[in-house]
Amino acid sequence: MRTVRTVAELRRRLAPERRGGQRIGLVPTMGHFHEGHLSLMRRAREDTDVVVVSLFVNPTQFRDGEDLASYPRDERRDASLADREGVDLLFVPSAEQVYPAGFDTVVRVGGLTDVLCGDAGRRGHRHFDGVATVVTKLLNIVGPDVAYFGQKDAQQALVIRRLARDLDIPVGVEVCPTVRDPDGLALSSRNSYLTGGERERALALSRALRAADEAVEKGELDARPVLAAARAELDRAGVEPEYLELRSAEDLSPVERVNGSTLLAVAAHVGRARLIDNTVLVSHAGATAPTDHPRGGPG
Ligand code: PAF
């Protein structure tokens, strides 16, 4: 595996591969790899000929006072993990490479970004403008055939699908299952902020999703009791959600009834970690949507 730090070098290295008809896979990351990242790399390794992983802690997607400065960084450890997964190129640009002097462009996806972790949840900060802009840049820099994202960031995945479609970026967007610790906690770089007791409380998020899932399995389809079942788990652990909402898994529009493709999404602060999780609830009324049941184990 080779580590590349400039856009020019990355393009130079990928040009012959592209000319030779090799399929390029991109896994965009902010580093501090865990099994979730590694599962995306494995998937890219299976699907494509040349695997590029980008590692860039993107400042524009952090709100003022959020954890940009303390976000966990360990490039050497990340490089060794990526190498073990058979990654070909690790792209580690500086902030100046990504945002050179005079950079003054914002990619904004409307609608989808007004809810959940978008403007509403971030007190005025357009988190997804930062995500959409950097991902557009990465897609343009790398020119992958397929880019890989995790279902844990379900809203982000929808935003990226939409921007690729709207901007005619010729890339397949693959969304891979959430990876969880055996006790159900969704893997996140921010889990490293949790103390032992906080980690226990954080389990309330996946328990809340499971409680909703069980309510739906028993035939409950109205939003109110399904949300109440989830909320009870958070309350029991003393976790106050930033949001706990049922939305269409396709366009994030609010839903009153679980209808087979319904996203239950939750965000909450536990200690200094802002955690998110979600599941796609499946009604037994003939639904066929893929599930991401928080039952522990990968996916
Ligand atoms: O999911 C992430 O790690 C980031 O939001 C991404 C997609 C790498 C953009 O900075």
Side-chain angles (χ1 to χ4, degrees):
M1 187 188 75
R2 186 175 286 274
T3 297
V4 174
R5 298 188 190 276
T6 66
V7 173
E9 187 187 351
L10 188 76
R11 289 207 163 121
R12 202 166 52 243
R13 293 204 174 274
L14 287 174
E17 316 280 4
R18 210 185 309 281
R19 271 198 306 275
Q22 305 276 293
R23 277 170 62 75
I24 297 169
L26 170 66
V27 181
T29 80
M30 299 207 299
H32 197 59
F33 296 155
H34 50 63
E35 196 51 39
H37 297 110
L38 303 184
S39 72
L40 301 181
M41 295 177 206
R42 268 174 226 137
R43 178 70 193 280
R45 185 69 284 163
E46 276 165 31
D47 290 356
T48 61
D49 304 306
V50 182
V51 177
V52 181
V53 172
S54 64
L55 193 176
F56 178 62
V57 182
N58 175 37
T60 63
Q61 67 189 76
F62 287 77
R63 188 167 21 89
D64 278 352
E66 225 177 354
D67 55 344
L68 172 62
S70 58
Y71 196 84
R73 293 165 171 88
D74 189 344
E75 183 187 321
R76 193 196 290 244
R77 171 184 170 276
D78 285 349
S80 132
L81 289 170
D83 190 31
R84 259 188 262 158
E85 296 303 335
V87 168
D88 297 293
L89 293 172
L90 183 65
F91 179 45
V92 192
S94 63
E96 293 70 36
Q97 277 291 308
V98 179
Y99 301 116
F103 184 91
D104 196 14
T105 296
V106 173
V107 178
R108 172 166 298 174
V109 175
L112 285 175
T113 65
D114 293 336
V115 298
L116 302 180
C117 289
D119 192 38
R122 295 266 184 148
R123 284 165 278 161
H125 174 71
R126 302 278 323 179
H127 164 70
F128 285 111
D129 287 5
V131 173
T133 304
V134 81
V135 171
T136 302
K137 287 207 61 148
L138 291 168
L139 295 175
N140 285 333
I141 292 166
V142 176
D145 296 279
V146 192
Y148 297 86
F149 299 89
Q151 168 67 17
K152 185 173 84 67
D153 299 302
Q155 185 176 15
Q156 169 172 283
L158 287 172
V159 167
I160 290 162
R161 277 225 165 101
R162 181 69 61 84
L163 80 83
R165 188 199 75 179
D166 287 357
L167 299 178
D168 298 307
I169 301 178
V171 64
V173 175
E174 282 295 330
V175 182
C176 302
T178 302
V179 179
R180 298 177 182 280
D181 274 335
D183 57 11
L185 186 68
L187 297 192
S188 160
S189 301
R190 290 185 168 108
N191 290 353
S192 63
Y193 301 156
L194 298 169
T195 63
E198 288 166 355
R199 200 183 173 293
E200 273 303 307
R201 287 177 57 227
L203 292 177
L205 272 72
S206 56
R207 275 203 300 266
L209 301 179
R210 194 159 55 234
D213 193 34
E214 282 164 9
V216 171
E217 268 175 27
K218 286 187 192 132
E220 192 58 80
L221 298 180
D222 285 342
R224 205 185 284 242
V226 171
L227 288 171
R231 180 70 199 231
E233 289 296 335
L234 298 176
D235 289 348
R236 225 188 308 282
V239 172
E240 178 63 30
E242 186 180 284
Y243 61 73
L244 173 69
E245 293 181 28
L246 278 174
R247 294 195 166 260
S248 153
E250 265 115 54
D251 61 10
L252 300 185
S253 55
V255 297
E256 293 304 321
R257 269 178 85 75
V258 174
N259 65 9
S261 186
T262 303
L263 186 75
L264 174 60
V266 61
H269 280 91
V270 179
R272 74 182 188 93
R274 181 179 181 277
L275 303 175
I276 59 172
D277 203 350
N278 68 78
T279 189
V280 176
L281 297 171
V282 178
S283 78
H284 294 287
T288 54
T291 54
D292 171 31
H293 298 271
R295 295 200 181 287

